[in-house]
Amino acid sequence: MSKRILTISILILTSFFVSCSQDKSEQKSQQQAVVTAPKIEAIVKVEPFNAPESPVITEDQAKKYAKASAGLVELGVSWTDRIEKAQDNEKVQILNAYNVARDQLCARVGLAGIAEYNWITEVALKEEGNKAAFEAAGIKIQ
């Protein structure tokens, strides 16, 4: 009986140490994955955007919005292949980089990042008083 208890105890201790060593190797591989992940750094400073009280925008803002719209379409086309071809563990990193690229594109044309672009899309486009500004920028509103 004591031999059985001793054998079972040894098996339990052995399985514990094996599982602990596997956990450590998994942690090391996860740490390496984090270390090798590409760093995403902004090249252009993106100004913080606070939505104005009035939904009316200027013709200049409408022109910047038109440029950003065209750029975002091109950006989406170029990143679609990367996202579709990426392995599952890379997709999150690629999507994060894509979001940074969208923010950077909007900042480069003069908007306060993707936040201002989204505000114009959701609020200013619906404002009847902005129709002339958008049409001057080449955007037809129906």
Side-chain angles (χ1 to χ4, degrees):
M1 180 91 124
S2 66
K3 284 186 176 184
R4 284 185 179 176
I5 293 173
L6 182 62
T7 306
I8 292 172
S9 298
I10 291 173
L11 287 174
I12 291 173
L13 285 173
T14 305
S15 66
F16 173 75
F17 287 116
V18 169
S19 69
C20 286
S21 66
Q22 287 176 347
D23 288 345
K24 287 180 182 178
S25 65
E26 287 176 15
Q27 287 176 351
K28 285 181 182 178
S29 67
Q30 288 175 351
Q31 287 174 348
Q32 288 173 348
V34 170
V35 170
T36 59
K39 294 184 179 178
I40 302 169
E41 296 182 20
I43 298 169
V44 176
K45 184 178 183 207
V46 179
E47 297 295 327
F49 177 70
N50 296 316
E53 291 180 23
S54 171
V56 177
I57 63 169
T58 64
E59 189 176 315
D60 185 51
Q61 281 178 300
K63 287 179 181 177
K64 290 175 183 177
Y65 176 80
K67 284 182 183 179
S69 293
L72 288 171
V73 169
E74 290 294 321
L75 190 68
V77 169
S78 67
W79 279 73
T80 299
D81 269 353
R82 285 187 195 174
I83 294 167
E84 288 177 353
K85 291 178 182 176
Q87 296 177 4
D88 289 340
N89 58 350
E90 296 174 327
K91 284 189 180 186
V92 172
Q93 293 172 351
I94 292 173
L95 287 171
N96 286 337
Y98 173 64
N99 286 333
V100 170
R102 291 173 63 214
D103 210 28
Q104 286 290 297
L105 185 142
C106 290
R108 283 178 184 253
V109 299
L111 297 176
I114 196 71
E116 184 175 5
Y117 178 86
N118 288 337
W119 176 82
I120 292 172
T121 301
E122 295 167 9
V123 178
L125 269 173
K126 297 174 185 173
E127 177 63 34
E128 192 66 33
N130 292 329
K131 188 173 183 176
F134 283 116
E135 287 179 355
I139 299 173
K140 186 175 181 181
I141 300 176
Q142 296 178 351

